Amino acid sequence: MFLNTVITFLYYVLSAFIAFIILRNIIKTKSAQEAVLYCIMIIPFVLRVLRLK
Amino acid sequence: MLNKKTLVAIKMVSICLSVIVMALSGIDFYKHRNYKEPVVVSEYVTQVRKLSDYFADLKDTINDCNIYIFEGSEPGGTVLLIGGTHPEEPGANLTAELIVENLRVKKGKVIIAIRANRSASTVTRPGDAYPQFYHIETPWGVKKFRMGDRWSNPLDSWPDPEVYVHYPSGQLLAYMDIRNFNRTWPGKKDGTITEKTNYAFMQLIEKEKVDLFIDLHEAELEYPVISTIVSHQRGVDIAAMTSMILSSTEFKIGMEYSPKELHGLSHREVGDHSRAISLLYESPEPFLDRVRGITDEKLLLTGKDPFVMKAGQFGLLYEKIDENGWPIDVRVGRHVSTFLTTLEMWNEFYPDLTIDVEGVPRYKEVITKGVGYYFRNPSEVPKNRVFDE
């Protein structure tokens, strides 16, 4: 069970990290299509970090 | 090639839309997870305890459900009835709640949990188009219930293993079934929240000296275990008599033996690991069929679906279905009548452990008046009779 807790914690850290990378890509990209795509991609990661879904 | 200003504008609009979608969906998920269902307990209830009273590890967790205890004025046997094992099967928790709101016990003891696995009632399957709530008409207005899932919420139990190894049998099961409350019996003291919940119920069974255990379910028509009572080998006499009496007087219902080598299910493990005789009831729920059409609240409550009917015409189902479907009133009516007839049979077989109850309607009454007729108005009773599920 301790290992489960550690993995769960790491999962949230990873989710936050990926959300951050996506946000960074939204800012950096020069393609409008990619920006829209990243904006859709980021939604589940943020909802996970906030423990809403 | 877009100029810089246009690109920035598109990004800003996209981010704003993304935040709006996140907020709207987040609010929806939050409201569903935290929605409280008011239950008006019958005036004859003698105690309302928490599951953590039997296993302290569950205190203040999502699965610390209410345990409603009804004691008669004379001693007798003890029955534990649970609904909400799989919250995507609303006939189960509605039946348990109907009984809690109307029951009077004259002899013996009846213990009821409406939402045995609360965690699974705080999540649905958006990918399968499950509704978040369903609504039942009552004489005083509409009563709202949380729709749920088969498995505990991953927010409460994560990660799943590659393969779920059932405790204590060592049987290998599908990974997600470590969150399936009817695959984790008899539970594990230091396991996941689902296993701990099973363990807590086993402690309850032991401490309250439960003689008879009943687990309420619903099943898809494509599944062979349907419209039946599944019984541990120690309960087959009662289950068979119940099946025969009901089939000749109210509706057809079968009876099946609990497989001895299939572990984790209540009808097997509760009977094997406690003194209680364990039974499991199944009623038909077309909403669960994979061949169903539009998946919405209407299908959940009416049980009418042309695609499931078509499957029936091709002989692919294990239960009949016609244009009348399987309405929730019929499914709940089946469960309450099966419960009452089981108790009658129990009293025949174990006269020293009689459980005598009244106030609970039977099949025909539930169909005539509707399940909502039996739910009380929380605003018309003293606050000490209202509990949240």
Side-chain angles (χ1 to χ4, degrees):
Chain A
M1 280 303 103
F2 173 73
L3 200 58
N4 269 18
T5 310
V6 172
I7 293 170
T8 304
F9 175 76
L10 289 176
Y11 175 75
Y12 283 103
V13 172
L14 275 173
S15 297
F17 177 71
I18 293 170
F20 169 75
I21 295 292
I22 295 171
L23 184 63
R24 188 169 160 270
N25 284 353
I26 293 171
I27 296 163
K28 284 202 157 187
T29 185
K30 290 184 169 51
S31 158
Q33 196 177 341
E34 278 184 8
V36 173
L37 184 65
Y38 289 139
C39 283
I40 297 168
M41 278 171 60
I42 201 171
I43 295 171
F45 290 98
V46 173
L47 291 178
R48 271 165 175 72
V49 172
L50 296 176
R51 285 184 57 78
L52 289 167
K53 184 64 186 168
Chain B
M1 189 74 178
L2 291 171
N3 66 42
K4 201 175 175 184
K5 267 190 179 176
T6 312
L7 183 63
V8 170
I10 290 173
K11 285 183 181 180
M12 293 304 290
V13 170
S14 301
I15 290 171
C16 286
L17 287 174
S18 182
V19 169
I20 289 169
V21 171
M22 272 182 230
L24 290 176
S25 54
I27 289 167
D28 256 9
F29 292 136
Y30 180 85
K31 278 185 175 171
H32 177 255
R33 183 163 164 84
N34 292 283
Y35 181 73
K36 307 277 186 230
E37 297 168 356
V39 174
V40 180
V41 292
S42 153
E43 59 191 301
Y44 301 106
V45 73
T46 44
Q47 291 181 67
V48 180
R49 304 186 72 176
K50 301 297 278 188
L51 188 57
S52 59
D53 292 345
Y54 301 93
F55 180 47
D57 267 29
L58 284 183
K59 195 162 180 57
D60 299 327
T61 67
I62 191 114
N63 273 10
D64 192 8
C65 66
N66 294 326
I67 303 294
Y68 303 92
I69 303 178
F70 297 78
E71 289 158 296
S73 52
E74 294 178 61
T78 300
V79 58
L80 168 62
L81 176 85
I82 65 168
T85 289
H86 294 148
E88 62 171 356
E89 299 160 13
N93 57 283
L94 290 175
T95 301
E97 183 164 334
L98 182 154
I99 296 172
V100 163
E101 296 207 6
N102 294 278
L103 182 67
R104 180 181 185 184
V105 176
K106 292 197 287 187
K107 207 171 182 180
K109 194 196 291 185
V110 177
I111 305 172
I112 302 172
I114 295 173
R115 293 276 193 188
N117 184 11
R118 279 197 73 240
S119 172
S121 75
T122 65
V123 63
T124 61
R125 285 188 229 172
D128 278 13
Y130 276 27
Q132 283 189 305
F133 297 97
Y134 53 93
H135 304 81
I136 303 287
E137 293 278 350
T138 75
W140 44 267
V142 174
K143 194 168 160 84
K144 184 175 167 184
F145 294 86
R146 288 190 307 275
M147 174 59 171
D149 198 359
R150 186 175 176 82
W151 299 282
S152 300
N153 195 331
L155 287 177
D156 304 313
S157 178
W158 203 91
D160 293 339
E162 285 291 314
V163 175
Y164 162 41
V165 183
H166 172 258
Y167 177 83
S169 72
Q171 180 178 276
L172 302 182
L173 292 162
Y175 70 96
M176 69 287 197
D177 275 340
I178 199 165
R179 288 184 285 114
N180 181 343
F181 186 69
N182 201 30
R183 295 296 181 278
T184 44
W185 292 98
K188 197 175 176 189
K189 196 176 180 180
D190 58 350
T192 64
I193 191 163
T194 317
E195 290 174 308
K196 282 182 178 177
T197 308
N198 295 103
Y199 179 82
F201 272 103
M202 291 304 291
Q203 295 300 303
L204 183 159
I205 288 167
E206 191 183 319
K207 287 174 186 167
E208 297 287 351
K209 296 183 172 58
V210 171
D211 302 298
L212 177 63
F213 171 86
I214 298 168
D215 185 8
L216 302 174
H217 284 259
E218 296 194 286
E220 57 270 48
L221 282 66
E222 294 163 276
Y223 184 55
V225 184
I226 191 166
S227 303
T228 193
I229 305 167
V230 187
S231 172
H232 189 267
Q233 63 270 18
R234 289 191 285 117
V236 289
D237 293 344
I238 293 165
M241 283 301 293
T242 302
S243 159
M244 283 193 284
I245 299 284
L246 284 174
S247 297
S248 61
T249 56
E250 294 184 78
F251 49 83
K252 287 205 186 310
I253 185 166
M255 176 260 153
E256 296 181 35
Y257 281 76
S258 167
K260 286 189 178 171
E261 299 306 324
L262 181 55
H263 291 284
L265 293 103
S266 63
H267 49 71
R268 168 55 36 211
E269 306 296 345
V270 174
D272 281 357
H273 294 271
S274 77
R275 61 197 291 275
I277 286 173
S278 50
L279 306 176
L280 183 151
Y281 303 165
E282 292 279 11
S283 67
E285 186 190 352
F287 181 93
L288 298 177
D289 278 283
R290 304 307 301 176
V291 297
R292 66 180 183 264
I294 297 170
T295 305
D296 58 6
E297 185 180 349
K298 191 178 164 198
L299 171 59
L300 184 69
L301 297 179
T302 64
K304 293 179 186 174
D305 187 282
F307 295 91
V308 180
M309 268 180 68
K310 182 64 88 177
Q313 287 163 13
F314 284 105
L316 299 172
L317 306 178
Y318 292 91
E319 177 55 279
K320 289 176 184 165
I321 183 168
D322 58 22
E323 62 282 353
N324 296 316
W326 282 98
I328 193 70
D329 298 334
V330 173
R331 286 139 56 190
V332 172
R334 287 177 67 96
H335 275 339
V336 284
S337 260
T338 309
F339 173 63
L340 294 172
T341 308
T342 301
L343 292 187
E344 287 161 17
M345 293 305 107
W346 172 269
N347 296 343
E348 295 279 331
F349 281 94
Y350 300 95
D352 295 341
L353 294 171
T354 296
I355 304 164
D356 197 3
V357 304
E358 63 179 25
V360 180
R362 294 196 74 98
Y363 179 66
K364 277 186 183 160
E365 293 169 87
V366 177
I367 292 174
T368 307
K369 293 178 177 169
V371 61
Y373 176 84
Y374 297 95
F375 293 136
R376 311 295 168 208
N377 187 347
S379 62
E380 283 181 358
V381 296
K383 283 206 165 30
N384 63 2
R385 276 184 60 196
V386 182
F387 292 83
D388 288 332
E389 285 293 335

